[in-house]
mmCIF file of all heavy atoms in Angstrom:
data_model
loop_
_atom_site.group_PDB
_atom_site.id
_atom_site.type_symbol
_atom_site.label_atom_id
_atom_site.label_comp_id
_atom_site.label_asym_id
_atom_site.label_seq_id
_atom_site.Cartn_x
_atom_site.Cartn_y
_atom_site.Cartn_z
ATOM 1 N N TRP T 61 -2.601 11.394 7.908
ATOM 2 C CA TRP T 61 -2.381 11.431 6.490
ATOM 3 C C TRP T 61 -1.458 10.327 6.036
ATOM 4 O O TRP T 61 -1.578 9.758 4.930
ATOM 5 C CB TRP T 61 -1.839 12.763 6.050
ATOM 6 C CG TRP T 61 -2.898 13.836 5.875
ATOM 7 C CD1 TRP T 61 -3.063 15.008 6.611
ATOM 8 C CD2 TRP T 61 -3.947 13.836 4.965
ATOM 9 N NE1 TRP T 61 -4.122 15.689 6.230
ATOM 10 C CE2 TRP T 61 -4.722 14.986 5.191
ATOM 11 C CE3 TRP T 61 -4.363 12.955 3.937
ATOM 12 C CZ2 TRP T 61 -5.870 15.314 4.445
ATOM 13 C CZ3 TRP T 61 -5.502 13.298 3.200
ATOM 14 C CH2 TRP T 61 -6.238 14.447 3.474
ATOM 15 N N LEU T 62 -0.453 9.978 6.890
ATOM 16 C CA LEU T 62 0.449 8.898 6.583
ATOM 17 C C LEU T 62 -0.258 7.572 6.503
ATOM 18 O O LEU T 62 -0.073 6.764 5.564
ATOM 19 C CB LEU T 62 1.604 8.853 7.562
ATOM 20 C CG LEU T 62 2.622 7.725 7.408
ATOM 21 C CD1 LEU T 62 3.388 7.896 6.098
ATOM 22 C CD2 LEU T 62 3.562 7.634 8.593
ATOM 23 N N ILE T 63 -1.145 7.342 7.474
ATOM 24 C CA ILE T 63 -1.925 6.114 7.510
ATOM 25 C C ILE T 63 -2.878 6.038 6.301
ATOM 26 O O ILE T 63 -2.958 4.965 5.631
ATOM 27 C CB ILE T 63 -2.713 5.991 8.785
ATOM 28 C CG1 ILE T 63 -1.785 5.908 10.002
ATOM 29 C CG2 ILE T 63 -3.702 4.826 8.766
ATOM 30 C CD1 ILE T 63 -2.464 5.977 11.352
ATOM 31 N N VAL T 64 -3.535 7.152 6.014
ATOM 32 C CA VAL T 64 -4.456 7.177 4.834
ATOM 33 C C VAL T 64 -3.649 6.899 3.541
ATOM 34 O O VAL T 64 -4.139 6.131 2.654
ATOM 35 C CB VAL T 64 -5.110 8.528 4.739
ATOM 36 C CG1 VAL T 64 -5.847 8.689 3.419
ATOM 37 C CG2 VAL T 64 -6.105 8.734 5.874
ATOM 38 N N GLU T 65 -2.480 7.473 3.414
ATOM 39 C CA GLU T 65 -1.649 7.224 2.213
ATOM 40 C C GLU T 65 -1.286 5.789 2.070
ATOM 41 O O GLU T 65 -1.429 5.207 0.979
ATOM 42 C CB GLU T 65 -0.369 8.097 2.315
ATOM 43 C CG GLU T 65 0.564 7.921 1.136
ATOM 44 C CD GLU T 65 1.860 8.660 1.324
ATOM 45 O OE1 GLU T 65 2.003 9.424 2.286
ATOM 46 O OE2 GLU T 65 2.797 8.442 0.486
ATOM 47 N N VAL T 66 -0.811 5.144 3.121
ATOM 48 C CA VAL T 66 -0.412 3.769 3.080
ATOM 49 C C VAL T 66 -1.611 2.870 2.737
ATOM 50 O O VAL T 66 -1.521 1.955 1.895
ATOM 51 C CB VAL T 66 0.253 3.315 4.406
ATOM 52 C CG1 VAL T 66 0.439 1.819 4.439
ATOM 53 C CG2 VAL T 66 1.580 4.059 4.628
ATOM 54 N N LEU T 67 -2.733 3.118 3.361
ATOM 55 C CA LEU T 67 -3.936 2.339 3.090
ATOM 56 C C LEU T 67 -4.398 2.470 1.636
ATOM 57 O O LEU T 67 -4.812 1.530 1.003
ATOM 58 C CB LEU T 67 -5.045 2.718 4.089
ATOM 59 C CG LEU T 67 -4.832 2.309 5.529
ATOM 60 C CD1 LEU T 67 -6.026 2.829 6.390
ATOM 61 C CD2 LEU T 67 -4.681 0.847 5.685
ATOM 62 N N ALA T 68 -4.308 3.684 1.156
ATOM 63 C CA ALA T 68 -4.684 3.951 -0.248
ATOM 64 C C ALA T 68 -3.805 3.226 -1.229
ATOM 65 O O ALA T 68 -4.263 2.640 -2.227
ATOM 66 C CB ALA T 68 -4.640 5.446 -0.535
ATOM 67 N N VAL T 69 -2.498 3.181 -0.924
ATOM 68 C CA VAL T 69 -1.566 2.494 -1.822
ATOM 69 C C VAL T 69 -1.820 0.979 -1.717
ATOM 70 O O VAL T 69 -1.800 0.271 -2.758
ATOM 71 C CB VAL T 69 -0.114 2.798 -1.384
ATOM 72 C CG1 VAL T 69 0.841 1.936 -2.224
ATOM 73 C CG2 VAL T 69 0.221 4.300 -1.616
ATOM 74 N N LEU T 70 -2.084 0.439 -0.542
ATOM 75 C CA LEU T 70 -2.340 -0.981 -0.382
ATOM 76 C C LEU T 70 -3.634 -1.392 -1.142
ATOM 77 O O LEU T 70 -3.628 -2.375 -1.816
ATOM 78 C CB LEU T 70 -2.532 -1.334 1.100
ATOM 79 C CG LEU T 70 -1.263 -1.368 1.944
ATOM 80 C CD1 LEU T 70 -1.599 -1.542 3.413
ATOM 81 C CD2 LEU T 70 -0.325 -2.464 1.424
ATOM 82 N N LEU T 71 -4.656 -0.491 -1.094
ATOM 83 C CA LEU T 71 -5.864 -0.783 -1.794
ATOM 84 C C LEU T 71 -5.628 -0.693 -3.333
ATOM 85 O O LEU T 71 -6.163 -1.553 -4.038
ATOM 86 C CB LEU T 71 -6.957 0.246 -1.394
ATOM 87 C CG LEU T 71 -8.304 0.164 -2.134
ATOM 88 C CD1 LEU T 71 -8.950 -1.207 -1.872
ATOM 89 C CD2 LEU T 71 -9.215 1.274 -1.684
ATOM 90 N N SER T 72 -4.848 0.246 -3.765
ATOM 91 C CA SER T 72 -4.521 0.354 -5.180
ATOM 92 C C SER T 72 -3.773 -0.854 -5.664
ATOM 93 O O SER T 72 -4.033 -1.325 -6.759
ATOM 94 C CB SER T 72 -3.731 1.628 -5.434
ATOM 95 O OG SER T 72 -4.437 2.788 -5.019
ATOM 96 N N LEU T 73 -2.796 -1.366 -4.918
ATOM 97 C CA LEU T 73 -2.058 -2.530 -5.314
ATOM 98 C C LEU T 73 -2.982 -3.744 -5.422
ATOM 99 O O LEU T 73 -2.807 -4.559 -6.296
ATOM 100 C CB LEU T 73 -0.965 -2.809 -4.250
ATOM 101 C CG LEU T 73 0.208 -1.824 -4.227
ATOM 102 C CD1 LEU T 73 1.122 -2.133 -3.048
ATOM 103 C CD2 LEU T 73 1.020 -1.874 -5.518
ATOM 104 N N TYR T 74 -3.950 -3.815 -4.517
ATOM 105 C CA TYR T 74 -4.941 -4.894 -4.567
ATOM 106 C C TYR T 74 -5.797 -4.810 -5.786
ATOM 107 O O TYR T 74 -6.075 -5.789 -6.475
ATOM 108 C CB TYR T 74 -5.755 -4.916 -3.297
ATOM 109 C CG TYR T 74 -6.885 -5.905 -3.310
ATOM 110 C CD1 TYR T 74 -6.666 -7.263 -3.101
ATOM 111 C CD2 TYR T 74 -8.225 -5.498 -3.554
ATOM 112 C CE1 TYR T 74 -7.686 -8.193 -3.092
ATOM 113 C CE2 TYR T 74 -9.239 -6.405 -3.580
ATOM 114 C CZ TYR T 74 -8.964 -7.754 -3.324
ATOM 115 O OH TYR T 74 -10.006 -8.698 -3.369
ATOM 116 N N LEU T 75 -6.286 -3.607 -6.074
ATOM 117 C CA LEU T 75 -7.238 -3.454 -7.192
ATOM 118 C C LEU T 75 -6.488 -3.666 -8.534
ATOM 119 O O LEU T 75 -7.105 -4.204 -9.501
ATOM 120 C CB LEU T 75 -7.783 -2.043 -7.177
ATOM 121 C CG LEU T 75 -8.767 -1.721 -6.029
ATOM 122 C CD1 LEU T 75 -9.211 -0.301 -6.070
ATOM 123 C CD2 LEU T 75 -9.946 -2.684 -6.009
ATOM 124 N N VAL T 76 -5.241 -3.263 -8.638
ATOM 125 C CA VAL T 76 -4.454 -3.449 -9.854
ATOM 126 C C VAL T 76 -3.884 -4.852 -9.955
ATOM 127 O O VAL T 76 -3.338 -5.243 -10.959
ATOM 128 C CB VAL T 76 -3.351 -2.395 -9.960
ATOM 129 C CG1 VAL T 76 -2.570 -2.503 -11.239
ATOM 130 C CG2 VAL T 76 -3.925 -0.993 -9.867
ATOM 131 N N THR T 77 -4.074 -5.638 -8.838
ATOM 132 C CA THR T 77 -3.592 -7.024 -8.754
ATOM 133 C C THR T 77 -2.068 -7.109 -9.019
ATOM 134 O O THR T 77 -1.625 -7.844 -9.897
ATOM 135 C CB THR T 77 -4.334 -7.971 -9.705
ATOM 136 O OG1 THR T 77 -4.074 -7.531 -11.083
ATOM 137 C CG2 THR T 77 -5.795 -7.956 -9.457
ATOM 138 N N VAL T 78 -1.323 -6.314 -8.247
ATOM 139 C CA VAL T 78 0.117 -6.334 -8.370
ATOM 140 C C VAL T 78 0.704 -7.378 -7.381
ATOM 141 O O VAL T 78 0.468 -7.261 -6.179
ATOM 142 C CB VAL T 78 0.706 -4.908 -8.081
ATOM 143 C CG1 VAL T 78 2.213 -4.973 -8.060
ATOM 144 C CG2 VAL T 78 0.161 -3.948 -9.063
ATOM 145 N N ASN T 79 1.413 -8.337 -7.889
ATOM 146 C CA ASN T 79 2.090 -9.286 -7.076
ATOM 147 C C ASN T 79 3.527 -8.768 -6.815
ATOM 148 O O ASN T 79 4.379 -8.765 -7.626
ATOM 149 C CB ASN T 79 2.179 -10.662 -7.751
ATOM 150 C CG ASN T 79 0.839 -11.278 -7.965
ATOM 151 O OD1 ASN T 79 -0.028 -11.150 -7.090
ATOM 152 N ND2 ASN T 79 0.641 -11.896 -9.124
ATOM 153 N N THR T 80 3.725 -8.273 -5.586
ATOM 154 C CA THR T 80 4.973 -7.657 -5.280
ATOM 155 C C THR T 80 5.391 -7.993 -3.870
ATOM 156 O O THR T 80 4.533 -8.449 -3.014
ATOM 157 C CB THR T 80 4.883 -6.081 -5.355
ATOM 158 O OG1 THR T 80 6.087 -5.519 -4.917
ATOM 159 C CG2 THR T 80 3.762 -5.539 -4.540
ATOM 160 N N ASP T 81 6.714 -7.914 -3.585
ATOM 161 C CA ASP T 81 7.175 -8.216 -2.232
ATOM 162 C C ASP T 81 7.128 -7.007 -1.312
ATOM 163 O O ASP T 81 7.648 -7.040 -0.213
ATOM 164 C CB ASP T 81 8.604 -8.794 -2.312
ATOM 165 C CG ASP T 81 9.560 -7.814 -2.943
ATOM 166 O OD1 ASP T 81 9.148 -6.779 -3.466
ATOM 167 O OD2 ASP T 81 10.783 -8.119 -2.981
ATOM 168 N N LEU T 82 6.484 -5.911 -1.792
ATOM 169 C CA LEU T 82 6.308 -4.751 -0.964
ATOM 170 C C LEU T 82 5.402 -5.094 0.235
ATOM 171 O O LEU T 82 4.331 -5.612 0.063
ATOM 172 C CB LEU T 82 5.662 -3.609 -1.750
ATOM 173 C CG LEU T 82 6.608 -2.674 -2.497
ATOM 174 C CD1 LEU T 82 5.753 -1.685 -3.329
ATOM 175 C CD2 LEU T 82 7.518 -1.901 -1.550
ATOM 176 N N THR T 83 5.871 -4.780 1.463
ATOM 177 C CA THR T 83 5.076 -4.987 2.644
ATOM 178 C C THR T 83 4.503 -3.703 3.134
ATOM 179 O O THR T 83 4.882 -2.620 2.673
ATOM 180 C CB THR T 83 5.924 -5.667 3.770
ATOM 181 O OG1 THR T 83 6.950 -4.731 4.162
ATOM 182 C CG2 THR T 83 6.569 -6.948 3.263
ATOM 183 N N THR T 84 3.582 -3.815 4.082
ATOM 184 C CA THR T 84 3.000 -2.533 4.662
ATOM 185 C C THR T 84 4.106 -1.736 5.338
ATOM 186 O O THR T 84 4.107 -0.522 5.267
ATOM 187 C CB THR T 84 1.929 -2.936 5.731
ATOM 188 O OG1 THR T 84 0.929 -3.744 5.035
ATOM 189 C CG2 THR T 84 1.301 -1.682 6.262
ATOM 190 N N ILE T 85 5.060 -2.432 5.990
ATOM 191 C CA ILE T 85 6.164 -1.708 6.638
ATOM 192 C C ILE T 85 7.050 -0.989 5.638
ATOM 193 O O ILE T 85 7.524 0.102 5.899
ATOM 194 C CB ILE T 85 6.993 -2.691 7.488
ATOM 195 C CG1 ILE T 85 6.078 -3.377 8.538
ATOM 196 C CG2 ILE T 85 8.099 -1.936 8.179
ATOM 197 C CD1 ILE T 85 6.832 -4.352 9.408
ATOM 198 N N ASP T 86 7.248 -1.625 4.459
ATOM 199 C CA ASP T 86 8.021 -0.985 3.408
ATOM 200 C C ASP T 86 7.340 0.303 2.953
ATOM 201 O O ASP T 86 7.988 1.313 2.764
ATOM 202 C CB ASP T 86 8.114 -1.915 2.182
ATOM 203 C CG ASP T 86 9.045 -3.072 2.439
ATOM 204 O OD1 ASP T 86 9.899 -2.978 3.294
ATOM 205 O OD2 ASP T 86 8.871 -4.140 1.762
ATOM 206 N N LEU T 87 6.037 0.251 2.807
ATOM 207 C CA LEU T 87 5.307 1.440 2.353
ATOM 208 C C LEU T 87 5.324 2.536 3.440
ATOM 209 O O LEU T 87 5.434 3.731 3.070
ATOM 210 C CB LEU T 87 3.827 1.083 2.073
ATOM 211 C CG LEU T 87 3.583 0.126 0.846
ATOM 212 C CD1 LEU T 87 2.130 -0.219 0.752
ATOM 213 C CD2 LEU T 87 4.066 0.829 -0.411
ATOM 214 N N VAL T 88 5.276 2.173 4.706
ATOM 215 C CA VAL T 88 5.423 3.152 5.801
ATOM 216 C C VAL T 88 6.772 3.802 5.700
ATOM 217 O O VAL T 88 6.931 5.029 5.838
ATOM 218 C CB VAL T 88 5.180 2.544 7.133
ATOM 219 C CG1 VAL T 88 5.527 3.481 8.256
ATOM 220 C CG2 VAL T 88 3.750 2.042 7.295
ATOM 221 N N ALA T 89 7.801 2.996 5.413
ATOM 222 C CA ALA T 89 9.192 3.558 5.366
ATOM 223 C C ALA T 89 9.285 4.505 4.191
ATOM 224 O O ALA T 89 9.795 5.615 4.332
ATOM 225 C CB ALA T 89 10.175 2.352 5.226
#
């Protein structure tokens, strides 16, 4: 569920075209 959550957030950031310094490791944290 943690992996699914992080992937979903990454996909959402891509679809909304958010330019942010958030990394995948940040989202895991």
Side-chain angles (χ1 to χ4, degrees):
W61 279 115
L62 179 65
I63 295 174
V64 169
E65 178 186 351
V66 172
L67 291 178
V69 175
L70 287 173
L71 178 61
S72 300
L73 290 174
Y74 173 77
L75 294 177
V76 182
T77 62
V78 176
N79 296 320
T80 175
D81 59 355
L82 272 175
T83 65
T84 303
I85 302 178
D86 289 336
L87 293 176
V88 171

